């Protein structure tokens, strides 16, 4: 069995070692644009270069080393639907996302961002507490990561809301769905957490019109994709105070260019796309398990639905 491996960071050796441990029968071939490839049975990539599409079209399945499929589905029309694309299912990402979002929500709820600024200015000034019952947290996206975040937030007693494409129901979470539900969802979410997949339907969903529907003084946490947010509109709304502060882990251009105005805005907290990192060992173990299932003719979990793009 041969596995075609593509790593944008060029760090292939540790992946090859982990595959040798978890799938010793497989030979791992590293993708290089300028070299002829032997036929491969499976491919492991996340956001493949366009030049890789031809070998990808000839494998039994493509395994993504991430949760989001937008990096490959931008080539949707060039990839045959007969080749399943399988994303990572948790593999250690859920708990990281829960940590990240919980930290950001609590930082705003307990006003730590303001206390950090006060401490830098040498000020001792207790601020009024936010009311828990007014601090509703609305999560856009109820996939594996969205659900894990909601589960973590339940502990703190905030009113919880969720928005998804199709109807869902969850204990202790007020659920909204579809274009019709978005308006009501946004109007009642003091904190909006974006954990949507990036698809043609969700691109730019946090545009000016929609962000204006959030209550005055709302907070935004974007851990989905940069293209969900209209960046200049967010900046305007933060400067006007409609959005009190934002925590952003993802951007339209990554790395965020040095001249980007977000860097200069103290109410925008920037992290370099680290909210839920791919854990290599867990990921290889999971992919190896799924390859074994496929070889036995069994169905595997986490296959991307090409109709919906996630
Ligand atoms: C990260 O952004 C991922 O899709 O796993």
């Amino acid at each position: 069995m041969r596995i075609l491996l593509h790593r944008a960071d060029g760090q292939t050796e540790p992946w090859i070692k982990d595959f040798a441990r978890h799938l010793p029968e497989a030979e791992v071939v590293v993708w290089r644009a300028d070299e002829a490839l032997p036929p491969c049975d499976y491919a492991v990539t996340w956001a493949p270069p366009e030049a890789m599409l031809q070998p990808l079209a000839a494998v039994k399945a493509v395994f993504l080393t991430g949760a989001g499929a937008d990096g490959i589905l931008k080539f949707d029309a060039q990839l045959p639907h007969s080749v399943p694309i399988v994303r990572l299912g948790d593999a250690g990402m859920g708990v990281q996302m829960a940590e990240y979002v919980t930290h950001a929500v609590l930082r705003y709820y307990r006003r730590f961002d303001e206390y950090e600024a006060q401490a830098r200015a040498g000020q001792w000034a207790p601020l009024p507490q936010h009311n828990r019952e007014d601090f509703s947290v609305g999560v856009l996206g109820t996939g594996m990561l969205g659900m894990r975040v909601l589960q973590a937030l339940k502990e703190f007693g905030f009113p919880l809301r969720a928005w998804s494409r199709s109807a869902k129901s969850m204990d202790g979470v007020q659920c909204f769905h579809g274009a019709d539900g978005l308006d009501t969802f946004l109007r009642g979410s003091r904190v909006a957490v974006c954990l949507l997949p990036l698809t043609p339907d969700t691109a730019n969903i946090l545009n000016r019109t929609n962000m204006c529907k959030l209550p005055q003084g709302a907070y935004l946490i974007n851990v989905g994709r940069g293209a969900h947010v209209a960046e200049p509109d967010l900046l305007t709304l933060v400067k006007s105070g409609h959005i009190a502060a934002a925590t952003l882990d993802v951007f339209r251009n990554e790395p965020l260019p040095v001249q980007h105005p977000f860097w200069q805005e103290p109410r925008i907290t920037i992290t370099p796309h680290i909210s839920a990192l791919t854990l290599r060992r867990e990921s290889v173990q999971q992919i190896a398990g799924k390859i074994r299932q496929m070889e036995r003719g069994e169905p595997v979990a986490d296959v991307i639905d090409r109709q919906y793009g996630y």
Side-chain angles (χ1 to χ4, degrees):
M1 175 199 304
R2 249 187 235 116
I3 297 176
L4 175 62
L5 172 70
H6 163 250
R7 293 290 310 159
D9 61 5
Q11 303 291 308
T12 50
E13 278 312 308
W15 287 80
I16 294 170
K17 282 205 183 107
D18 283 338
F19 270 111
R21 185 170 323 131
H22 290 290
L23 205 63
E25 64 271 38
E27 176 198 351
V28 177
V29 176
V30 174
W31 159 257
R32 287 192 187 87
D34 51 356
E35 277 177 23
L37 290 171
C40 292
D41 300 280
Y42 298 97
V44 175
T45 179
W46 183 49
E50 192 166 5
M52 203 179 160
L53 294 181
Q54 214 177 334
L56 289 185
V59 294
K60 289 190 243 178
V62 178
F63 290 94
L64 303 182
T65 53
D70 48 299
I72 187 165
L73 290 186
K74 65 180 183 221
F75 301 122
D76 189 43
Q78 290 148 270
L79 279 166
H81 283 217
S82 52
V83 178
I85 299 174
V86 187
R87 62 171 170 76
L88 278 183
D90 201 317
M93 283 188 177
V95 66
Q96 295 179 71
M97 195 54 93
E99 291 158 2
Y100 186 102
V101 174
T102 304
H103 173 270
V105 170
L106 295 181
R107 178 166 174 253
Y108 293 136
Y109 176 61
R110 294 301 308 268
R111 307 185 76 159
F112 288 134
D113 55 332
E114 293 164 89
Y115 287 121
E116 282 159 22
Q118 287 190 7
R120 275 193 298 273
Q123 279 172 13
W124 177 284
L127 299 165
Q129 291 258 43
H130 288 298
N131 287 326
R132 196 178 303 272
E133 56 276 19
D134 298 336
F135 217 78
S136 48
V137 184
V139 175
L140 293 121
T142 55
M144 166 206 44
L145 296 174
M147 300 286 266
R148 185 67 185 78
V149 162
L150 285 161
Q151 181 198 331
L153 287 171
K154 271 188 186 161
E155 184 68 26
F156 300 98
F158 302 119
L160 295 179
R161 306 155 73 82
W163 181 81
S164 49
R165 181 184 53 79
S166 57
K168 298 268 165 73
S169 83
M170 270 172 267
D171 255 9
V173 180
Q174 205 180 349
C175 292
F176 301 83
H177 72 277
D180 295 346
L182 186 59
D183 209 89
T184 325
F185 166 83
L186 292 170
R187 290 189 195 285
S189 296
R190 180 71 189 276
V191 184
V193 180
C194 178
L195 260 164
L196 289 166
L198 181 63
T199 69
D201 288 338
T202 65
N204 239 17
I205 190 165
L206 292 165
N207 54 26
R208 190 189 180 96
T209 311
N210 280 340
M211 284 191 287
C212 281
K213 291 175 189 163
L214 294 168
Q216 174 73 25
Y219 298 91
L220 175 68
I221 299 166
N222 188 18
V223 278
R225 286 289 183 261
H228 286 129
V229 174
E231 292 183 342
D233 294 347
L234 173 60
L235 196 63
T236 307
L237 292 172
V238 167
K239 287 197 185 298
S240 76
H242 183 78
I243 295 205
T247 294
L248 309 175
D249 186 48
V250 286
F251 302 88
R252 285 182 182 254
N253 289 315
E254 295 180 9
L256 186 64
V258 280
Q259 69 280 10
H260 197 289
F262 282 173
W263 290 112
Q264 304 308 322
E265 175 46 67
R267 285 162 294 186
I268 295 184
T269 299
I270 294 165
T271 53
H273 202 144
I274 48 72
S275 50
L277 298 169
T278 297
L279 303 181
R280 194 191 61 246
R281 284 192 204 103
E282 285 82 344
S283 303
V284 170
Q285 194 171 3
Q286 183 179 113
I287 292 169
K290 286 174 175 168
I291 288 179
R292 289 228 162 84
Q293 282 180 302
M294 286 197 73
E295 290 292 299
R296 290 195 297 266
E298 293 167 13
V300 295
D302 310 310
V303 176
I304 299 294
D305 184 329
R306 297 288 286 277
Q307 186 190 346
Y308 296 119
Y310 60 90

